[in-house]
Amino acid sequence: MTINWNAIEDKWRKRWNETKDFETDPNDKEKKFITVAYPYPNSPQHIGHGRTYTLADVHSRFYRMQGYNVLFPMGFHYTGTPVLGMAKRIQSQEKEILDGLRNIYHVPEEDIKTFVEPIKIADYFHEEIKSGMIEMGYSIDWRREFTTIVPGYQKFIEWQITTLKENGRIIQGSHPVGWCPRDQNPVSQHDTMGDVEPKIDDKNYLVKFKLDDFIFPVTTLRPETIFGVTNLWANPNTVYKKIKADNERWIVSEECAKKLEFFEKEISIEGDIVGSELIGKYATALHNGSEIPVLEADFVEPGMGTGLVMSVPAHAPKDYQALMDLKAAGHELALKIEPIPVIVTEGYGDIPARDVCERLGVTNQSDQKLEEATNELYLKEFTGGKLNDRCGKFQGIKVEFGRDKVREWLQDNGHLERFPVLENGPVRCRCGTECVVKILSNQWFLNYGDEEWKEKARDCLDGMNILPNKIKTEFKDVIDWLHERACARQQGLGTKLPWDKDWIVESLSDSVIYMAYYAISRFVNDGTVSPENLTKEFFDYIFLDRGNIASAAQTSKLPREVIEMMKKEFQYFYPVDSRHSGRDLVQNHLSFFVLNHVAIFDRKYWPKEIVVNGSVMMDGAKMSKSMGNIIPLRTAIRDHGADPIRLAIISSAELLQDADFNMESVSGIQNKLESLLEECSNTKEGKIDNLEAEDRWILSKIQSMISEVTDAIEKMRLREALHDILFSFESDLSWYRKRTEAKGRKNISGILHRIISVRVAMLSPFAPHISEEMWERLGHSNQVSKSAWPEYSKESVDATSIQAEELLKSTIDDIANILRVTKITPQKIVIYVNSDQFRLTVYRKILGIMVRGQNNMGDVMKELIADPETREAKKMPDYIQKVIKDLHSESEVIKEMKLKSKGFDEKEFLSLELGDIGRKEFGVEIQVYSESDSDIYDPKGKARHARPFKPAILIE
RNA sequence: GCGGGAGUCGCCCAGCCUGGUCAAAGGCGUAGGGCUUAGGACCCUAUCUCUUAGGAGUUCGUGGGUUCAAAUCCCACCUCCCGCACCA
């Protein structure tokens, strides 16, 4: 039988649709609000995207069956810049992107033509992604759908950002960004040739010296070494510029002068000065007024920093070597200069730079080994060095901390400025222009560095359920590490800052509390309210319970009952019960989600849970367009069916692990589901009466499966749950079949029907379509998605039958074991069960001792001897030891069960049950004796080895 | 540098939080058998070593430690992977 997956899926999706199953309004039931980070529509979703949504859908469906009123909504995140870059690339007919659209995503040519407009791209993929979500069977309430650039949402974002500002969460400051001088715009990865992210090194500084009437600025990464400066370096072959920078006159390289224009400075060029003219002059160090000579050095590059460098020969190998070279050449001034050590580091002598250079055998200032020497020393001194007594009030401070202190001190005195540089330059904009670093003044920041805010976020996290639990610490670390974060951009789609219309609310900042908007989006969508109704007073009243209904009604021009209805809707669904997202968003979105909630909402609306999942690999490799191993989700659904894809995604890895998706697992799952479906067709409901031992056992087993699966899903260990339903239980079932077949029973269809119904019900959140089909074939009249989640019932667990069945299994195993080792063909098998009352008493006593946690031989023996009833046990240490060993190899659950329940008659049970199964397995009769039977057949004296739950065996 | 994670029986991977049910699940591969005209699919059996009585030995990156008992807890080390921002 081959299943037409798509036909079955269609059929059931239509049914769900007809009854509007997933449209959720407030009611009397308890609610669950499940959300997923909405997609950014610049490409169709592939299997990797499907993971997060599938997990959330399983979660939603599980809660629905448990009787909750579950809201699972979806939106689309249009905010941001990537589609802008895409549109530009398409306009310029870039082959790579066009090929991708045509060959991997199969976008129709007439649609590609429209893609020169960014919104058209988003619109196209929005529909594409949505169709995929529907085809995957996600139980989404589509009435609440929105994009982040519709007017209603923009009103909401304006309210959000205004509220944050009013709450003092937004500050203004300056910030360096990668910048295209021609486009007059910041550049991100999507705007550059080759898609490189411009990396900015913001730890680079400019320190001012004075030379005559001019400022002589040098750049450095190590401001703390200012105390060890012996001289300055200039390149004699470079033509420097005399410039006016704001109100000061500076000497810098031409390249530097250009960079400075982007650092909020008024720059004008006044004239040239050749490097050689600077050589030999004396400059003044501003921090202590000392006079310092300018010397020549070839290694000074005009393109690096200001084109001028300060020399710290004690700690900078390059400076040291350049000085040595001059001395060797007999340079008069240089001969007078000695390195000034300012940092003490274990493992290095007085002049660390000399140590390193000598050890590595550096010969001159153009030696390649200087790079290595520099790296080593910088790192070692930073992590292990301490400032010495030449550093004034900074003496004794570790370099690690001292650097920032010295920097602040110099900065406060106006001797130092930041000089951010492009770390991975040159980076080119798509327009071909080389990018620069620009310091944006008047940038708006969310003040995530605020300690009070952080504390509140930690408080929220403490009360939250984070799945898997182990990444809770990661969240805390992120909170600790966060600082001011720009929340506005100058380009891209989105919402304008209400108070500064030059800026657009940055895309990660407009997606942090939007889940609240789902509560009202459906009223906007159905026309109950329009965007202009959504005033600040309206939002304040609904979300914050601030202000009053009168002003909300007056400003929004909405009837009071409409406002109250929407407020109720929000209060019913909020807070978010579970937020699903990928692991990569822990550092930003998910943390901001927490921070913004605590900054805006009352404690009772703080989120309850975050579920984080890993990414999806394709046949062990990371999915990427360039590798061509991306499978669009809709293609996969069409080829393999939605349910097999869902299960393959879930079963390939536990929550946080990266899932490896491969086609073998999909077909394995298809086969499994096919055989399950066939089983459903063949299993009819039947009467259940006269339970036999194995019936009681399998019915008990299904109870433990219910409990395990439920428990696993609650912790979102879906792989484990699915595995239990689909595979683990199979081994119990096959034992059951073996037993019933051996007995030749025909009356088990009722029991099988009950068991498979439970399995299908539990499977349905995972594979919703095929489960409906199975459920129907099983003869149920309702839909499985509307049936109740199977509930664990303790009363259905029959402890004695579990023990008895375990005994039977282990006896069969033992016989098989003996046969394997001895390789004999059995003619006759004889079983001897223990009947010695004293041994049984001792056994139960030991069991009791072990359940309490006492496990070693000595302690057990002591306890036995202490009890008059079991004192004689000391004569049988061998027996005691074996019993302890037997019990060790049993689970705690079974041990406790054994202890609690009364014993049962082993002989009676085995005589009754062993015959059939023995004939089937070994083809011979099995006789069962009790050790004390008078008619016992025991030619080899095996019977005395029998122990409780461990009969002795004779095979001839 | 800062922070996070991983190393398991041919391969992939579960178990570790909560120590004993662990020679360690599942999948793949391999070998044998069944079914089949054949192939595929499916089902059964085996798959660290030794073993003619249900047993023993050596294993979970390396080396120590705690414990009656360690894949699991603690310490040190080795190796590998990921993130470090204004970008979705």
Side-chain angles (χ1 to χ4, degrees):
Chain A
M1 181 181 61
T2 312
I3 295 181
N4 183 341
W5 297 97
N6 291 338
I8 290 178
E9 285 158 8
D10 264 356
K11 168 179 165 187
W12 291 104
R13 267 201 305 276
K14 279 203 188 94
R15 301 259 182 106
W16 295 330
N17 220 8
E18 278 161 17
T19 43
K20 301 187 187 306
D21 275 358
F22 310 126
E23 297 186 357
T24 312
D25 294 330
N27 62 21
D28 300 334
K29 289 201 275 185
E30 207 178 317
K31 63 89 191 182
K32 288 282 181 187
F33 185 18
I34 312 282
T35 71
V36 193
Y38 45 26
Y40 182 80
N42 70 333
S43 62
Q45 59 190 347
H46 57 248
I47 291 173
H49 299 113
R51 187 171 183 197
T52 314
Y53 302 119
T54 301
L55 294 174
D57 187 54
V58 174
H59 207 186
S60 302
R61 288 173 174 274
F62 168 70
Y63 277 138
R64 232 173 253 130
M65 287 176 76
Q66 284 204 320
Y68 291 99
N69 187 29
V70 177
L71 174 59
F72 178 26
M74 188 61 62
F76 291 85
H77 198 196
Y78 278 35
T79 316
T81 55
V83 284
L84 268 57
M86 267 179 87
K88 264 192 226 166
R89 295 173 64 185
I90 289 165
Q91 186 148 36
S92 57
Q93 295 288 308
E94 264 184 47
K95 189 173 178 325
E96 192 195 336
I97 189 162
L98 289 172
D99 284 353
L101 289 171
R102 284 176 189 139
N103 304 331
I104 299 179
Y105 298 156
H106 306 293
V107 181
E109 214 50 45
E110 62 269 27
D111 286 307
I112 295 181
K113 280 193 193 112
T114 68
F115 282 7
V116 290
E117 220 182 304
I119 291 186
K120 294 283 187 208
I121 302 176
D123 281 342
Y124 178 86
F125 289 118
H126 169 177
E127 288 311 318
E128 182 72 16
I129 292 169
K130 182 177 172 184
S131 304
M133 288 176 165
I134 292 171
E135 285 160 9
M136 279 292 268
Y138 296 151
S139 53
I140 292 168
D141 182 352
W142 288 108
R143 296 172 307 160
R144 298 172 191 266
E145 177 194 357
F146 56 81
T147 81
T148 59
I149 56 166
V150 297
Y153 190 80
Q154 294 194 329
K155 287 281 182 189
F156 173 73
I157 294 303
E158 282 173 15
W159 171 79
Q160 175 205 331
I161 204 89
T162 307
T163 306
L164 284 169
K165 189 152 187 282
E166 283 174 3
N167 293 358
R169 300 304 183 188
I170 293 180
I171 55 173
Q172 203 171 23
S174 68
H175 175 71
V177 294
W179 180 266
C180 172
R182 189 171 137 195
D183 292 352
Q184 289 285 306
N185 251 327
V187 285
S188 66
Q189 188 177 342
H190 311 280
D191 308 314
T192 61
M193 283 184 166
D195 271 356
V196 286
E197 175 81 34
K199 285 199 172 167
I200 291 161
D201 181 359
D202 202 14
K203 299 268 180 259
N204 198 42
Y205 303 102
L206 173 157
V207 179
K208 293 178 184 173
F209 289 78
K210 207 160 177 357
L211 188 114
D212 301 336
D213 292 340
F214 290 94
I215 296 291
F216 188 97
V218 301
T219 40
T220 180
L221 289 161
R222 307 175 75 192
E224 76 279 12
T225 58
I226 183 90
F227 300 107
V229 173
T230 56
N231 60 289
L232 302 171
W233 300 115
N235 190 327
N237 304 317
T238 301
V239 179
Y240 291 89
K241 296 283 175 193
K242 295 178 181 169
I243 62 168
K244 193 147 190 243
D246 292 339
N247 298 319
E248 293 174 337
R249 302 178 72 204
W250 289 20
I251 295 174
V252 293
S253 68
E254 189 176 356
E255 290 88 335
C256 176
K258 284 187 186 142
K259 288 178 191 163
L260 287 172
E261 288 175 33
F262 299 99
F263 291 176
E264 327 171 65
K265 282 189 189 300
E266 197 65 43
I267 303 291
S268 57
I269 300 201
E270 298 189 330
D272 294 346
I273 178 165
V274 185
S276 52
E277 271 185 55
L278 295 167
I279 310 297
K281 290 195 172 193
Y282 279 78
T284 313
L286 294 175
H287 70 284
N288 63 2
S290 58
E291 295 289 308
I292 295 168
V294 179
L295 301 182
E296 68 256 42
D298 294 334
F299 69 81
V300 178
E301 293 173 31
M304 297 285 280
T306 53
L308 300 165
V309 182
M310 69 182 192
S311 171
V312 188
H315 301 289
K318 281 183 190 168
D319 295 344
Y320 173 80
Q321 195 54 47
L323 183 63
M324 287 306 124
D325 289 356
L326 285 181
K327 283 180 186 244
H331 192 286
E332 202 179 311
L333 242 172
L335 284 169
K336 290 187 211 155
I337 295 174
E338 286 308 319
I340 305 172
V342 292
I343 298 168
V344 185
T345 309
E346 208 174 313
Y348 295 92
D350 199 26
I351 316 290
R354 181 173 63 205
D355 294 355
V356 181
C357 287
E358 284 174 0
R359 176 153 47 78
L360 293 176
V362 174
T363 51
N364 62 67
Q365 60 185 294
S366 52
D367 196 322
Q368 299 289 317
K369 291 192 280 281
L370 275 172
E371 207 56 49
E372 185 190 340
T374 305
N375 288 340
E376 176 193 320
L377 195 58
Y378 274 31
L379 184 61
K380 283 278 166 26
E381 291 192 328
F382 180 71
T383 51
K386 255 187 197 174
L387 298 176
N388 75 4
D389 55 0
R390 286 198 181 81
C391 304
K393 61 177 177 176
F394 302 104
Q395 180 188 348
I397 301 177
K398 290 173 81 177
V399 174
E400 212 178 328
F401 310 111
R403 176 172 299 173
D404 281 341
K405 294 211 159 92
V406 174
R407 189 207 74 221
E408 273 170 35
W409 172 66
L410 290 171
Q411 204 161 12
D412 289 347
N413 292 318
H415 301 157
L416 176 145
E417 292 181 13
R418 63 205 292 203
F419 194 93
V421 294
L422 221 47
E423 205 175 293
N424 55 345
V427 172
R428 286 189 183 278
C429 175
R430 289 202 173 278
C431 73
T433 315
E434 189 174 333
C435 299
V436 298
V437 175
K438 179 173 169 72
I439 295 182
L440 287 180
S441 53
N442 71 357
Q443 168 66 286
W444 297 96
F445 293 90
L446 278 162
N447 192 14
Y448 290 146
D450 181 23
E451 198 41 48
E452 180 260 343
W453 194 356
K454 286 179 189 233
E455 198 47 45
K456 234 172 154 179
R458 288 186 199 109
D459 187 14
C460 176
L461 278 169
D462 282 338
M464 278 178 87
N465 193 21
I466 308 283
L467 295 176
N469 198 260
K470 62 177 165 187
I471 52 162
K472 198 166 202 163
T473 49
E474 202 172 320
F475 272 103
K476 296 256 177 104
D477 287 333
V478 173
I479 299 285
D480 287 348
W481 159 87
L482 277 170
H483 51 82
E484 303 73 30
R485 187 191 164 92
C487 62
R489 304 201 83 199
Q490 292 190 316
Q491 55 171 351
L493 304 178
T495 305
K496 287 191 166 125
L497 270 190
W499 63 85
D500 189 348
K501 301 279 186 190
D502 289 343
W503 294 92
I504 292 163
V505 179
E506 183 270 331
S507 52
L508 279 175
S509 306
D510 84 346
S511 58
V512 284
I513 60 156
Y514 70 89
M515 312 84 208
Y517 185 70
Y518 284 125
I520 61 169
S521 64
R522 80 172 171 103
F523 297 104
V524 180
N525 290 348
D526 72 10
T528 307
V529 300
S530 35
E532 41 296 353
N533 298 128
L534 307 177
T535 59
K536 177 173 161 37
E537 289 77 7
F538 167 87
F539 283 126
D540 280 349
Y541 181 68
I542 287 188
F543 293 139
L544 306 180
D545 201 18
R546 204 177 281 164
N548 54 59
I549 179 74
S551 71
Q554 195 213 333
T555 58
S556 69
K557 304 193 178 64
L558 286 171
R560 290 183 178 214
E561 55 286 7
V562 170
I563 297 174
E564 293 297 359
M565 177 175 67
M566 292 168 81
K567 183 169 184 172
K568 265 210 190 109
E569 178 117 0
F570 167 73
Q571 291 182 335
Y572 176 77
F573 284 117
Y574 239 64
V576 172
D577 290 287
S578 192
R579 175 107 183 128
H580 286 255
S581 186
R583 149 147 246 186
D584 48 332
L585 297 187
V586 170
Q587 319 231 358
N588 41 57
H589 169 77
L590 288 170
S591 294
F592 301 165
F593 163 69
V594 171
L595 280 157
N596 281 273
H597 269 86
V598 304
I600 292 176
F601 292 106
D602 195 72
R603 181 180 283 267
K604 67 179 179 237
Y605 295 131
W606 290 2
K608 294 265 187 258
E609 179 178 88
I610 288 178
V611 182
V612 181
N613 62 269
S615 61
V616 176
M617 318 272 276
M618 195 71 212
D619 289 323
K622 207 166 184 168
M623 265 192 255
S624 75
K625 252 186 279 180
S626 59
M627 294 173 82
N629 62 351
I630 286 191
I631 301 182
L633 193 58
R634 295 189 71 189
T635 311
I637 296 170
R638 204 187 54 225
D639 295 346
H640 309 284
D643 286 340
I645 303 284
R646 290 172 66 115
L647 298 196
I649 291 170
I650 291 165
S651 69
S652 60
E654 211 47 90
L655 201 49
L656 204 54
Q657 215 79 41
D658 286 345
D660 188 12
F661 187 90
N662 55 62
M663 281 308 154
E664 288 100 81
S665 65
V666 175
S667 66
I669 282 159
Q670 281 177 330
N671 293 330
K672 184 80 210 167
L673 292 177
E674 267 176 38
S675 63
L676 205 58
L677 181 63
E678 204 174 325
E679 217 177 312
C680 290
S681 306
N682 300 332
T683 311
K684 292 286 160 269
E685 200 163 356
K687 271 229 302 265
I688 300 176
D689 45 24
N690 297 333
L691 292 182
E692 298 199 20
E694 64 273 16
D695 300 337
R696 287 193 297 273
W697 174 78
I698 193 76
L699 291 173
S700 300
K701 279 301 204 181
I702 194 117
Q703 288 305 318
S704 32
M705 177 173 77
I706 292 172
S707 133
E708 275 160 29
V709 168
T710 308
D711 199 52
I713 298 183
E714 269 159 11
K715 293 180 184 137
M716 283 308 283
R717 301 175 67 132
L718 299 190
R719 173 198 166 110
E720 192 178 312
L722 189 58
H723 204 268
D724 284 346
I725 299 167
L726 242 30
F727 300 104
S728 308
F729 193 68
E730 205 69 33
S731 65
D732 286 339
L733 211 51
S734 76
W735 172 253
Y736 179 70
R737 290 218 176 84
K738 216 185 243 184
R739 288 269 279 141
T740 52
E741 275 166 30
K743 285 182 170 184
R745 290 180 59 189
K746 297 274 178 265
N747 60 343
I748 57 167
S749 72
I751 287 171
L752 287 177
H753 186 269
R754 184 189 287 181
I755 287 170
I756 197 168
S757 294
V758 168
R759 290 175 84 192
V760 169
M762 293 201 296
L763 181 65
S764 79
F766 299 89
H769 313 90
I770 196 73
S771 299
E772 293 285 8
E773 186 71 19
M774 291 173 179
W775 195 250
E776 189 180 64
R777 294 201 191 174
L778 281 168
H780 295 286
S781 53
N782 63 340
Q783 288 180 12
V784 65
S785 53
K786 286 182 185 154
S787 70
W789 184 256
E791 205 159 328
Y792 173 72
S793 114
K794 215 174 170 186
E795 296 77 58
S796 311
V797 178
D798 180 345
T800 308
S801 75
I802 290 178
Q803 290 171 57
E805 212 63 25
E806 294 299 324
L807 170 66
L808 186 63
K809 266 203 265 190
S810 67
T811 307
I812 294 285
D813 279 353
D814 282 348
I815 295 171
N817 239 329
I818 295 169
L819 290 176
R820 190 182 316 129
V821 175
T822 58
K823 300 188 180 75
I824 53 178
T825 313
Q827 305 298 319
K828 183 175 189 169
I829 300 175
V830 188
I831 302 291
Y832 311 96
V833 302
N834 172 67
S835 62
D836 186 302
Q837 197 51 49
F838 181 66
R839 270 195 232 153
L840 188 62
T841 310
V842 171
Y843 183 90
R844 289 192 66 86
K845 176 89 183 172
I846 294 174
L847 181 61
I849 295 168
M850 286 181 69
V851 165
R852 287 202 313 270
Q854 200 67 266
N855 282 316
N856 84 43
M857 174 79 187
D859 293 335
V860 171
M861 194 56 112
K862 251 182 242 163
E863 283 207 44
L864 287 172
I865 293 171
D867 185 342
E869 204 191 349
T870 53
R871 177 161 301 147
E872 291 305 303
K874 67 184 169 195
K875 289 182 183 156
M876 41 165 95
D878 203 39
Y879 172 74
I880 309 291
Q881 192 146 29
K882 285 200 166 119
V883 167
I884 291 175
K885 204 168 171 208
D886 288 346
L887 288 171
H888 262 323
S889 62
E890 281 183 11
S891 76
E892 295 299 319
V893 185
I894 293 274
K895 270 187 261 182
E896 272 174 46
M897 237 179 229
K898 269 188 184 168
L899 188 64
K900 276 188 201 144
S901 65
K902 291 235 167 59
F904 64 101
D905 189 334
E906 289 185 37
K907 185 187 172 192
E908 188 190 335
F909 174 76
L910 288 178
S911 317
L912 198 65
E913 305 291 346
L914 204 49
D916 293 323
I917 190 93
R919 252 190 309 280
K920 181 171 159 50
E921 293 291 297
F922 309 114
V924 292
E925 289 299 324
I926 299 181
Q927 291 174 352
V928 181
Y929 292 101
S930 164
E931 203 186 337
S932 57
D933 285 348
S934 51
D935 61 340
I936 191 168
Y937 171 80
D938 186 14
K940 293 207 175 153
K942 294 273 185 193
R944 63 194 166 83
H945 296 300
R947 301 193 292 277
F949 292 97
K950 190 79 179 170
I953 298 165
L954 171 70
I955 301 177
E956 293 183 330

